[in-house]
Amino acid sequence: MAADELITAVIVDDHAAIAAGVGSWCARAVPPIDLIDAGDRLANVWTGPGAAADVVIFDLELVPGLPNFGELRRLVDSGRRVIVYSQHTEDAIAIKCVDIGALAYLTKREGPEHLVPAIQAAAQGEPYTPPSLSGAFIADTAADRPRLSQREVEVLRAWFVSSSKELVAAKLNIAVKTVDTYIARVRVKYANVGRAARTKSELVGRALDDGLITLAELNQTETSL
């Protein structure tokens, strides 16, 4: 979108005060940002006015104690431009969200001086890193998180919801041997960080832990082309 076009954003958050505050900041932005309040209903991000919003402002933990990395993955995979706006200040959670594909991770301690520029950047498909987290991304040395390429993740997810590697190959228009190669690479990467996954079920477990796929997606196994 052009830099001077009206930006629309949808916020999903279980605290009305947060949504009201963000709405006030957006109204004072130059140019103003049109904010749609989805409340705490994720469905409102997928239907109605929220479905067409340029940017999704996503509270990672709508259910206390359960960060929803799977829903973040679903949003990213569908092509949505997501800003995670969370009470969590841990560097590891921020890094994980950005690895999944969030364009920005901001804590709720950070105000309009960062959230508004993050929305503006995300609307253009660009990342935004607030100063509070810049050091964390530079010093990311998490030993148990394998660095998977986008294609490795794509093949892995396709394999999890398919009944055979032949179906994966047909779906992605690659050879079965290539499917085997990608899966082997993923196994090596997990083994190298001390999280060996020798079987498909073990690999599924790792992927669920890392937010690469959701249980809902796993329940939609493809058995035919």
Side-chain angles (χ1 to χ4, degrees):
M1 65 185 299
D4 59 349
E5 288 185 21
L6 176 66
I7 296 171
T8 59
V10 57
I11 183 169
V12 54
D13 196 293
D14 60 341
H15 292 94
I18 295 291
V22 173
S24 176
W25 300 341
C26 288
R28 295 198 303 267
V30 180
I33 297 167
D34 182 17
L35 186 72
I36 301 160
D37 183 3
D40 61 355
R41 290 179 53 79
L42 283 165
N44 291 339
V45 175
W46 298 100
T47 61
D54 300 309
V55 178
V56 178
I57 304 169
F58 179 58
D59 181 356
L60 185 66
E61 195 170 291
L62 294 172
V63 178
L66 293 174
N68 199 339
F69 296 109
E71 187 63 27
L72 174 59
R73 165 73 60 184
R74 183 183 172 211
L75 286 164
V76 169
D77 284 356
S78 70
R80 302 300 292 271
R81 294 168 174 175
V82 184
I83 294 170
V84 175
Y85 196 45
S86 173
Q87 74 271 23
H88 288 285
T89 59
E90 299 93 330
D91 290 350
I93 290 180
I95 292 167
K96 183 171 182 175
C97 288
V98 172
D99 280 350
I100 288 173
L103 288 172
Y105 184 98
L106 282 81
T107 70
K108 290 181 178 177
R109 296 177 181 177
E110 292 163 315
E113 68 276 11
H114 292 299
L115 184 56
V116 169
I119 295 170
Q120 293 167 334
Q124 302 296 325
E126 298 174 357
Y128 180 90
T129 302
S132 62
L133 290 176
S134 58
F137 293 127
I138 293 171
D140 178 20
T141 56
D144 65 341
R145 297 168 56 255
R147 296 293 189 179
L148 305 184
S149 71
Q150 183 176 349
R151 189 59 163 170
E152 286 168 346
V153 171
E154 182 180 19
V155 170
L156 199 63
R157 285 167 51 81
W159 185 42
F160 289 158
V161 298
S162 298
S163 59
S164 71
K165 292 176 181 177
E166 288 75 13
L167 283 171
V168 177
K171 179 179 180 179
L172 301 181
N173 196 28
I174 57 179
V176 174
K177 184 176 180 180
T178 304
V179 175
D180 283 330
T181 298
Y182 277 116
I183 293 172
R185 288 178 186 171
V186 172
R187 291 191 194 281
V188 168
K189 289 184 177 183
Y190 269 107
N192 285 343
V193 297
R195 299 171 66 199
R198 299 176 182 84
T199 67
K200 186 174 183 178
S201 61
E202 288 176 343
L203 204 50
V204 167
R206 302 300 188 201
L208 286 170
D209 289 342
D210 292 345
L212 298 178
I213 198 166
T214 66
L215 285 172
E217 290 170 313
L218 289 173
N219 289 333
Q220 298 175 357
T221 302
E222 298 172 357
T223 59
S224 61
L225 293 175

Tab-separated table of all heavy atoms in Angstrom, residues 7 29-31 33 55 83 115-126:
chain	number	residue	atom	x	y	z
A	7	ILE	N	-4.531	3.472	6.869
A	7	ILE	CA	-4.189	2.169	7.424
A	7	ILE	C	-5.334	1.702	8.310
A	7	ILE	O	-5.865	2.469	9.118
A	7	ILE	CB	-2.888	2.245	8.250
A	7	ILE	CG1	-1.697	2.607	7.367
A	7	ILE	CG2	-2.638	0.922	8.979
A	7	ILE	CD1	-0.427	2.902	8.153
A	29	ALA	N	-2.662	9.409	15.461
A	29	ALA	CA	-1.542	9.188	14.535
A	29	ALA	C	-1.700	10.092	13.314
A	29	ALA	O	-2.781	10.588	13.018
A	29	ALA	CB	-1.504	7.719	14.104
A	30	VAL	N	-0.590	10.313	12.626
A	30	VAL	CA	-0.615	11.138	11.412
A	30	VAL	C	-0.087	10.311	10.239
A	30	VAL	O	1.088	9.975	10.194
A	30	VAL	CB	0.254	12.399	11.596
A	30	VAL	CG1	0.229	13.253	10.327
A	30	VAL	CG2	-0.207	13.215	12.787
A	31	PRO	N	-0.984	9.976	9.273
A	31	PRO	CA	-2.435	10.178	9.313
A	31	PRO	C	-3.085	9.213	10.309
A	31	PRO	O	-2.465	8.230	10.712
A	31	PRO	CB	-2.860	9.874	7.873
A	31	PRO	CG	-1.850	8.881	7.397
A	31	PRO	CD	-0.547	9.291	8.024
A	33	ILE	N	-5.004	6.215	12.116
A	33	ILE	CA	-5.132	4.790	11.811
A	33	ILE	C	-6.526	4.345	12.240
A	33	ILE	O	-6.959	4.627	13.363
A	33	ILE	CB	-4.060	3.971	12.556
A	33	ILE	CG1	-2.660	4.375	12.079
A	33	ILE	CG2	-4.293	2.466	12.368
A	33	ILE	CD1	-1.546	3.858	12.969
A	55	VAL	N	-3.387	-4.656	9.266
A	55	VAL	CA	-2.506	-5.116	10.337
A	55	VAL	C	-3.338	-5.759	11.440
A	55	VAL	O	-4.436	-5.290	11.751
A	55	VAL	CB	-1.697	-3.938	10.926
A	55	VAL	CG1	-0.806	-4.396	12.081
A	55	VAL	CG2	-0.868	-3.252	9.847
A	83	ILE	N	1.397	-7.808	14.488
A	83	ILE	CA	2.185	-7.253	15.584
A	83	ILE	C	1.728	-7.954	16.849
A	83	ILE	O	0.532	-7.970	17.155
A	83	ILE	CB	1.950	-5.747	15.737
A	83	ILE	CG1	2.472	-4.982	14.514
A	83	ILE	CG2	2.621	-5.218	17.011
A	83	ILE	CD1	2.056	-3.519	14.502
A	115	LEU	N	4.254	1.653	19.297
A	115	LEU	CA	3.181	0.879	18.672
A	115	LEU	C	2.712	1.524	17.364
A	115	LEU	O	2.505	0.824	16.369
A	115	LEU	CB	1.998	0.709	19.630
A	115	LEU	CG	0.857	-0.180	19.095
A	115	LEU	CD1	1.370	-1.560	18.695
A	115	LEU	CD2	-0.252	-0.314	20.120
A	116	VAL	N	2.569	2.842	17.347
A	116	VAL	CA	2.111	3.498	16.118
A	116	VAL	C	3.118	3.298	14.972
A	116	VAL	O	2.718	2.895	13.871
A	116	VAL	CB	1.808	4.991	16.366
A	116	VAL	CG1	1.601	5.719	15.039
A	116	VAL	CG2	0.569	5.134	17.240
A	117	PRO	N	4.411	3.547	15.178
A	117	PRO	CA	5.369	3.279	14.097
A	117	PRO	C	5.394	1.808	13.680
A	117	PRO	O	5.610	1.492	12.505
A	117	PRO	CB	6.717	3.701	14.686
A	117	PRO	CG	6.387	4.667	15.759
A	117	PRO	CD	5.074	4.206	16.318
A	118	ALA	N	5.171	0.893	14.656
A	118	ALA	CA	5.143	-0.529	14.327
A	118	ALA	C	3.966	-0.850	13.413
A	118	ALA	O	4.093	-1.624	12.461
A	118	ALA	CB	5.064	-1.365	15.606
A	119	ILE	N	2.805	-0.248	13.685
A	119	ILE	CA	1.629	-0.457	12.828
A	119	ILE	C	1.899	0.097	11.435
A	119	ILE	O	1.598	-0.545	10.418
A	119	ILE	CB	0.385	0.217	13.437
A	119	ILE	CG1	0.002	-0.446	14.762
A	119	ILE	CG2	-0.799	0.149	12.462
A	119	ILE	CD1	-1.056	0.311	15.542
A	120	GLN	N	2.484	1.268	11.368
A	120	GLN	CA	2.776	1.892	10.076
A	120	GLN	C	3.774	1.051	9.273
A	120	GLN	O	3.625	0.883	8.059
A	120	GLN	CB	3.299	3.308	10.293
A	120	GLN	CG	2.240	4.249	10.862
A	120	GLN	CD	2.802	5.552	11.384
A	120	GLN	OE1	3.966	5.638	11.778
A	120	GLN	NE2	1.971	6.602	11.393
A	121	ALA	N	4.776	0.514	9.967
A	121	ALA	CA	5.755	-0.336	9.289
A	121	ALA	C	5.113	-1.636	8.812
A	121	ALA	O	5.315	-2.069	7.674
A	121	ALA	CB	6.926	-0.632	10.226
A	122	ALA	N	4.318	-2.260	9.691
A	122	ALA	CA	3.683	-3.530	9.341
A	122	ALA	C	2.752	-3.382	8.149
A	122	ALA	O	2.658	-4.283	7.305
A	122	ALA	CB	2.920	-4.086	10.538
A	123	ALA	N	2.060	-2.253	8.055
A	123	ALA	CA	1.150	-2.022	6.929
A	123	ALA	C	1.899	-2.022	5.600
A	123	ALA	O	1.331	-2.335	4.555
A	123	ALA	CB	0.411	-0.702	7.109
A	124	GLN	N	3.193	-1.694	5.652
A	124	GLN	CA	4.026	-1.722	4.455
A	124	GLN	C	4.760	-3.052	4.298
A	124	GLN	O	5.584	-3.221	3.399
A	124	GLN	CB	5.075	-0.591	4.523
A	124	GLN	CG	4.492	0.804	4.673
A	124	GLN	CD	3.666	1.219	3.480
A	124	GLN	OE1	3.972	0.870	2.347
A	124	GLN	NE2	2.595	1.972	3.731
A	125	GLY	N	4.464	-3.996	5.213
A	125	GLY	CA	5.127	-5.294	5.169
A	125	GLY	C	6.534	-5.270	5.703
A	125	GLY	O	7.351	-6.136	5.396
A	126	GLU	N	6.831	-4.285	6.554
A	126	GLU	CA	8.189	-4.121	7.075
A	126	GLU	C	8.234	-4.418	8.574
A	126	GLU	O	7.274	-4.146	9.295
A	126	GLU	CB	8.676	-2.687	6.824
A	126	GLU	CG	8.753	-2.323	5.356
A	126	GLU	CD	9.086	-0.865	5.143
A	126	GLU	OE1	9.207	-0.122	6.143
A	126	GLU	OE2	9.228	-0.463	3.970
